[in-house]
Amino acid sequence: MKTLLSQSRIEEGVACVATKIAAVYGESPVMIVGVLTGSLVFMADLIRRLEMPLRLGFLSASSYRGATSRGSLVVNSDLLPDVSGQHVLLVDDIFDTGHTLVRLAEMMRSNRADSLRSAVLLRKEGRQEVEYRPDFVAFDIPDEFVVGYGMDYRDMFRNLPYVAALDPEDIAEVGV
Ligand code: IMP
Ligand code: MG
């Protein structure tokens, strides 16, 4: 496993995104909607750098990948408050193919959010399959499988305080 983003670089990146978010929303109230589980650590650090009035909501989204297809996205919105009339900021860990955020953005619009933007910690270069782009991105990274700072491999490594890239040998060693 090799460190891709150290704790201090992550801190700088999160601070920079928070400044950009604050510049866009000003004093307007915002509903921050985290995509569980990967966005947990990013969201916790991000909201403590924001000073506008804000509410929190959560969604979970997982894609079950079949052998031949991309797989369907299963969304659970039990923990999502009413977003109608709210300025919604979706927060996710990684923008990879982009299908997850596209689907969630559509969902927020159909639930009549007043405005919809998105913030991600990481965007993987060259992987996007959609036109949609997140409004705020802390880091662009190469196309590697990453863990830590909330992100997992088979639900492990979320607690690492830095972001690391997993080698194929690491993946074999996890043995799960
Ligand atoms: P997308 O729909 O392809 O953009 O998928 C985004 C989701 O896939 C993220 O929210 C993550 O949960 C997951 N994901 C994509 N790449 C990685 C990775 O390198 N490590 C951990 N999770 C990942
Ligand atoms: Mg995710």
Side-chain angles (χ1 to χ4, degrees):
M1 209 188 275
K2 73 169 192 291
T3 303
L4 203 65
L5 297 169
S6 65
Q7 275 181 268
S8 59
R9 275 198 73 200
I10 295 171
E11 212 177 301
E12 283 167 22
V14 173
C16 182
V17 161
T19 304
K20 289 178 182 159
I21 292 172
V24 168
Y25 290 102
E27 303 285 300
S28 307
V30 180
M31 164 90 70
I32 313 261
V33 175
V35 185
L36 293 174
T37 305
S39 69
L40 177 78
V41 182
F42 175 41
M43 183 159 168
D45 282 347
L46 181 66
I47 61 172
R48 284 176 289 174
R49 291 185 176 273
L50 296 175
E51 290 174 0
M52 74 283 278
L54 57 85
R55 294 189 177 84
L56 302 182
F58 296 94
L59 283 165
S60 72
S62 22
S63 49
Y64 293 94
R65 288 163 209 269
T68 53
S69 71
R70 184 164 47 79
S72 59
L73 190 72
V74 177
V75 178
N76 180 328
S77 55
D78 290 351
L79 299 175
L80 185 70
D82 182 10
V83 300
S84 63
Q86 304 282 323
H87 294 296
V88 173
L89 177 67
L90 279 170
V91 175
D92 204 359
D93 51 1
I94 307 189
F95 191 70
D96 185 18
T97 64
H99 292 289
T100 303
L101 272 194
V102 165
R103 167 81 185 279
L104 297 179
E106 278 165 9
M107 199 176 137
M108 295 301 119
R109 287 192 200 98
S110 65
N111 290 354
R112 294 194 302 277
D114 220 20
S115 70
L116 188 274
R117 292 187 177 86
S118 57
V120 298
L121 180 75
L122 308 176
R123 173 169 56 194
K124 281 194 196 174
E125 285 162 356
R127 291 272 303 164
Q128 286 72 56
E129 297 174 1
V130 297
E131 293 293 310
Y132 180 86
R133 291 291 176 267
D135 300 271
F136 308 98
V137 178
F139 300 98
D140 280 295
I141 60 162
D143 180 13
E144 291 188 85
F145 195 84
V146 294
V147 295
Y149 198 70
M151 292 166 284
D152 72 306
Y153 173 65
R154 299 200 175 178
D155 248 341
M156 293 175 65
F157 309 116
R158 293 190 194 275
N159 54 321
L160 297 178
Y162 50 86
V163 174
L166 275 191
D167 297 333
E169 304 96 81
D170 293 330
I171 292 174
E173 272 170 36
V174 172
V176 283

